[in-house]
Amino acid sequence: MPNDDRSDAPQTAHDPAAEVVELCRDLIRIDTSNYGDQDGPGERKAAEHVATLLDEVGIESRMIESEPGRTSVIARWGGAGAGGRDDGLLLHGHLDVVPAAAEDWQVDPFSGEVQDGYVWGRGAVDMKDFDAMLLSVVRARQRAGRVPERPIVLCFTADEEAGGHKGAQVIVDEHAEELEGVTEAVGEVGGFSATVRGRRVYLIEAAEKGMAWMKLTARGRAGHGSMINTDNAVTRLSAAVARIGAHQWPVRLTPTMEVLLATVADLAGTEATPENAPALIEEFGGAARMLGAVITNTTNPTMLSAGYKVNVIPTEATAYVDGRFLPGFEDEFFATLAELTGEGVEIEHVSHQQPWETPYEGHLVDAMTRSILAEDEDAVVAPYLMSGGTDAKHFRRLGMRSYGFAPLRLPADLDFTALFHGVDERVPVDALEFGARVFDRFLDDV
């Protein structure tokens, strides 16, 4: 795709963080709530905004709309230097956000208000902050003629918050030519700091659990609520849900978490073992909420539905379960789930996506580490496994090595992981500016 070829232009100083706060605020003000169904405004308005921002600096983009309003943006940039590299790098973020109930918030969740040194609003950490960092850095570099020699694909997707089926999956399945030559990818939920024993540890996402969103259905014999009924769908389903929700999954350490726990053990003056893994996770404070979920498989019942009248035993009862399984432990997960569910309950997959794990090594890892240490020289950098899912699950199907790297230097007392999909979501202004500077350094080194 053509853009302004400024490889021969003199390179000038630039400020990669100059626009990042205002760009983040502007994106938050565009409501892109994703309810997981046909409701919601879609991403079209945000996609048009991003396309305009790229066009203003001479980067041509393409909008891909899977259905009316569900819009992603993709553009090619870089690759104009004398290095002759042809191995592309994908930088991706998503435009949709989960819904927010305004009455629960201290501020309007779509105001992008700056208060107490934070940018507030839905998407401030998931993930319009990274979208803003990426756009701020790209626009500054493009204006200054500092276009990377490596070919870059910029991608801002729809529908990530509902599994990416109307965004990244469509791009991979129907528009793979847009990603031709791409060998590596960098996206969200990595590069943020957590404080352990007084040291900032920056967590690079190098793996994700697999996703098994499941609908459970039990069927039985309908009848009068006053009579004996030994074939009650509600009873059968409730027992299965209770077993699934109460099950204690065993600790299983993947290569990524072995590296992270060894790093933490070193700070704590001990050694990492499966037995003390939960204690080492607690060293992360609030972040243990996320990290505690990546040393085991997990199953959380989330929805229940049955019946239409108190004195009528229904024929059918349904429940939904959010299951997440570790890389390498899918067979164990589904075998155990079948035992817990028992007979007479059907399992249907609403979304079934594979886990992934990228070796924490190589030039891209070195570049991420160097860029953080250049801005925070006393930091520790280590990989982690993500409990949730990102669009990387789809892009990985094209063979890309993937990482999560949206760098943020965070206050030690901020319960950052609680802000994901939470009330009063917000990101520090100085963390946004830090992230833009780090990512700019990263692009110098990729």
Side-chain angles (χ1 to χ4, degrees):
M1 185 207 70
N3 60 21
D4 282 359
D5 184 354
R6 306 184 184 190
S7 58
D8 296 327
Q11 295 191 349
T12 59
H14 67 290
D15 181 0
E19 297 182 296
V20 66
V21 173
E22 289 308 312
L23 288 173
C24 186
R25 297 181 71 195
D26 289 343
L27 287 167
I28 289 170
R29 292 185 186 114
I30 303 173
D31 183 357
T32 52
S33 297
N34 186 346
Y35 291 85
D37 52 25
Q38 300 305 313
D39 294 330
E43 300 86 4
R44 177 83 192 191
K45 185 175 179 181
E48 291 174 343
H49 179 65
V50 169
T52 297
L53 290 170
L54 294 175
D55 183 67
E56 285 176 354
V57 293
I59 300 175
E60 182 182 332
S61 62
R62 176 188 176 191
M63 289 195 289
I64 296 173
E65 196 160 80
S66 58
E67 57 186 58
R70 310 311 306 272
T71 314
S72 302
V73 182
I74 196 162
R76 284 193 172 265
W77 179 62
R85 295 187 65 173
D86 57 5
D87 56 327
L89 172 65
L90 171 66
L91 305 176
H92 63 95
H94 62 86
L95 298 173
D96 61 323
V97 297
V98 296
E103 62 271 18
D104 295 334
W105 287 55
Q106 297 182 50
V107 302
D108 181 339
F110 297 103
S111 66
E113 183 173 333
V114 175
Q115 181 176 295
D116 301 325
Y118 287 78
V119 178
W120 295 61
R122 179 57 86 216
V125 301
D126 188 13
M127 65 164 299
K128 291 179 176 178
D129 58 340
F130 181 60
D131 294 336
M133 285 184 226
L134 186 52
L135 288 165
S136 182
V137 170
V138 168
R139 282 164 57 86
R141 293 181 74 96
Q142 180 78 359
R143 286 177 172 135
R146 299 180 64 90
V147 179
E149 292 185 357
R150 185 174 188 180
I152 305 289
V153 175
L154 309 171
C155 189
F156 302 84
T157 60
D159 198 41
E160 189 275 345
E161 295 292 1
H165 304 296
K166 299 176 183 178
Q169 181 176 322
V170 171
I171 293 171
V172 169
D173 289 346
E174 301 178 19
H175 304 279
E177 73 280 357
E178 297 285 351
L179 302 171
E180 185 176 356
V182 172
T183 61
E184 296 177 307
V186 169
E188 63 172 326
V189 200
F192 61 92
S193 70
T195 301
V196 176
R197 305 258 173 154
R199 296 286 297 278
R200 276 189 294 272
V201 180
Y202 288 84
L203 302 173
I204 307 298
E205 185 195 17
E208 286 182 9
K209 295 177 83 172
M211 178 190 297
W213 289 350
M214 298 166 287
K215 178 182 180 181
L216 276 54
T217 303
R219 295 180 177 85
R221 186 175 67 251
H224 200 290
S226 67
M227 299 181 187
I228 293 173
N229 189 322
T230 58
D231 190 19
N232 189 315
V234 176
T235 303
R236 184 177 298 114
L237 181 75
S238 298
V241 168
R243 289 191 297 269
I244 290 169
H247 182 67
Q248 297 294 310
W249 294 87
V251 171
R252 299 284 188 258
L253 299 182
T254 65
T256 295
M257 290 305 292
E258 287 176 345
V259 174
L260 176 61
L261 293 177
T263 302
V264 176
D266 186 59
L267 293 175
T270 185
E271 294 184 0
T273 67
E275 290 72 29
N276 71 356
L280 291 174
I281 292 294
E282 290 302 317
E283 295 278 355
F284 284 94
R289 177 186 297 104
M290 176 191 292
L291 295 173
V294 297
I295 57 174
T296 71
N297 295 321
T298 55
T299 43
N300 282 308
T302 54
M303 298 169 65
L304 288 167
S305 179
Y308 51 88
K309 196 171 187 292
V310 69
N311 63 343
V312 177
I313 298 171
T315 303
E316 184 175 289
T318 60
Y320 288 83
V321 175
D322 185 337
R324 311 283 175 142
F325 49 94
L326 296 165
F329 295 95
E330 181 175 10
D331 291 345
E332 178 185 67
F333 174 82
F334 284 106
T336 303
L337 184 67
E339 293 177 4
L340 295 171
T341 303
E343 296 182 0
V345 179
E346 298 177 2
I347 301 176
E348 174 187 351
H349 286 286
V350 178
S351 182
H352 182 189
Q353 298 184 31
Q354 295 300 313
W356 59 266
E357 190 160 25
T358 301
Y360 189 66
E361 60 189 20
H363 179 74
L364 210 59
V365 169
D366 293 342
M368 290 186 283
T369 302
R370 283 192 292 265
S371 65
I372 289 175
L373 295 179
E375 293 288 334
D376 191 352
E377 62 182 10
D378 294 325
V380 177
V381 184
Y384 87 107
L385 194 159
M386 168 71 169
S387 63
T390 72
D391 281 334
K393 282 184 167 57
H394 297 292
F395 295 126
R396 284 272 304 185
R397 292 192 287 119
L398 296 178
M400 301 177 195
R401 291 169 55 92
S402 294
Y403 298 96
F405 185 59
L408 295 170
R409 183 173 58 199
L410 300 170
D413 59 353
L414 177 66
D415 191 356
F416 181 66
T417 59
L419 300 176
F420 284 83
H421 298 189
V423 172
D424 292 333
E425 185 178 348
R426 60 198 183 277
V427 64
V429 167
D430 59 2
L432 278 174
E433 295 169 341
F434 170 87
R437 294 193 302 271
V438 169
F439 210 82
D440 184 59
R441 289 182 181 273
F442 169 70
L443 288 183
D444 275 333
D445 203 12
V446 297

